[in-house]
């Protein structure tokens, strides 16, 4: 879907900073863009997000979790993404279907195909035009982060989990090579920003 750009990466890769920089870039250059996020991003979807990330919901099944992400995704598409795209805006979404491939498909071991089938129902034709993947392994990311962890439920799942999530992203990147823009955020945050802007210019988004 033209002008629908998603950003992906494991915890600690600097995704939020890059989104902030992109937002500033768009404002400075008069680019009409909407910035949103998953899970959540609209009223009903945020309520679903709170259920998923509530640490007291540790008994939630993996399949239930995968369905809730897909449900929130569908709602957020209808409420936020679709109207903005219809208005001719560029939509930048912090996490999307590839997060489900990586976290539920690989992290939770539901499998890529299971998660894809489920999400195909939720997203219909809303396949991102491009997906910027900040490609940093958990070891690289946690080293950079310096150990300060958020305590939400997903982050309590441990190191092996994040290893699988990273594998999942790499798998999704291979399977969807036509839309993936893989960026190694190894330099400064400003250098990474430059790389992202260059890639988006090259693809004709900017
Ligand atoms: P959030 O605090 O927004 O994390 P981040 O700043 O890293 O984006 O929490 C989102 C969490 O939800 C994050 O751990 C990834 C997870 N997630 C999934 O497991 N599946 C999904 O489909 C999505 C969109 C997110």
């Amino acid at each position: 879907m033209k002008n629908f750009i998603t950003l992906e990466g494991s915890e600690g890769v600097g995704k939020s900073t890059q989104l902030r920089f992109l937002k500033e870039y768009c404002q400075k250059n008069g680019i009409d863009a909407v910035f949103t996020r998953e899970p959540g991003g609209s009223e009903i979807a945020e309520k679903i997000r709170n259920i998923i990330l509530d640490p007291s919901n540790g008994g939630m099944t993996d399949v239930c979790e995968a369905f809730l992400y897909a449900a929130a995704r569908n709602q957020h598409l209808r409420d936020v993404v679709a109207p903005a795209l219809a208005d001719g805006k560029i939509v930048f979404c912090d996490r999307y279907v590839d997060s489900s491939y990586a976290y539920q498909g690989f992290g939770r071991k539901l499998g890529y195909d299971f998660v894809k089938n489920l999400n195909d129902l939720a997203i219909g034709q809303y396949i991102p035009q491009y997906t910027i993947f900040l490609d940093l392994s958990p070891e690289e990311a946690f080293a950079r982060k310096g150990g300060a962890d958020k305590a939400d439920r997903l982050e309590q799942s441990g190191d092996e989990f994040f290893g699988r999530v990273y594998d999942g992203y790499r798998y999704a990147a291979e399977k969807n090579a036509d839309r993936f823009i893989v960026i190694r955020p190894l330099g400064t945050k400003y250098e990474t920003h430059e790389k992202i802007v260059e890639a988006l210019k090259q693809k004709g988004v900017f």
Side-chain angles (χ1 to χ4, degrees):
M1 175 84 35
K2 192 171 181 326
N3 286 339
F4 183 27
I5 315 294
T6 59
L7 266 95
E8 296 281 358
S10 317
E11 266 79 355
V13 300
K15 201 162 42 67
S16 316
T17 306
Q18 292 307 323
L19 276 158
R20 186 158 49 79
F21 285 176
L22 269 176
K23 198 172 185 175
E24 286 165 11
Y25 179 90
C26 289
Q27 280 163 355
K28 262 189 226 145
N29 291 279
I31 296 165
D32 203 1
V34 166
F35 286 77
T36 186
R37 70 149 186 198
E38 279 203 1
S42 76
E43 200 183 330
I44 297 170
E46 287 288 332
K47 288 183 186 164
I48 300 174
R49 173 193 171 92
N50 290 338
I51 297 172
I52 303 171
L53 297 179
D54 182 346
S56 73
N57 284 339
M60 185 184 290
T61 68
D62 297 340
V63 173
C64 175
E65 181 185 274
F67 271 88
L68 287 179
Y69 277 116
R73 180 159 296 135
N74 177 270
Q75 186 72 40
H76 173 248
L77 276 174
R78 212 252 344 238
D79 291 345
V80 176
V81 178
L85 291 172
D87 263 6
K89 296 180 172 133
I90 300 175
V91 175
F92 287 99
C93 190
D94 182 355
R95 297 193 181 281
Y96 190 59
V97 68
D98 300 293
S99 282
S100 283
Y101 298 154
Y103 286 79
Q104 281 65 56
F106 280 69
R108 302 284 192 224
K109 299 187 180 170
L110 291 177
Y112 180 86
D113 292 335
F114 180 94
V115 175
K116 182 171 187 316
N117 288 335
L118 166 59
N119 274 276
D120 283 351
L121 297 172
I123 70 173
Q125 81 273 33
Y126 286 90
I127 296 162
Q129 185 182 16
Y130 295 111
T131 296
I132 299 166
F133 169 43
L134 298 179
D135 177 355
L136 210 58
S137 73
E139 292 76 20
E140 292 166 323
F142 282 124
R144 173 180 291 206
K145 199 172 174 184
D149 263 351
K150 290 182 279 177
D152 70 36
R153 193 170 66 82
L154 288 167
E155 293 189 344
Q156 289 165 13
S157 312
D159 290 356
E160 285 166 31
F161 177 82
F162 287 107
R164 291 198 300 275
V165 167
Y166 183 60
D167 292 344
Y169 270 127
R170 306 256 301 222
Y171 185 83
E174 250 174 57
K175 281 278 206 186
N176 302 279
D178 52 329
R179 67 175 163 85
F180 260 77
I181 299 173
V182 180
I183 293 192
R184 290 276 284 154
L186 290 172
T188 67
K189 52 192 175 182
Y190 306 105
E191 283 162 356
T192 300
H193 173 64
E194 287 299 317
K195 282 190 197 170
I196 293 174
V197 169
E198 272 318 303
L200 290 173
K201 279 184 182 165
Q202 205 195 322
K203 302 282 187 193
V205 176
F206 284 165

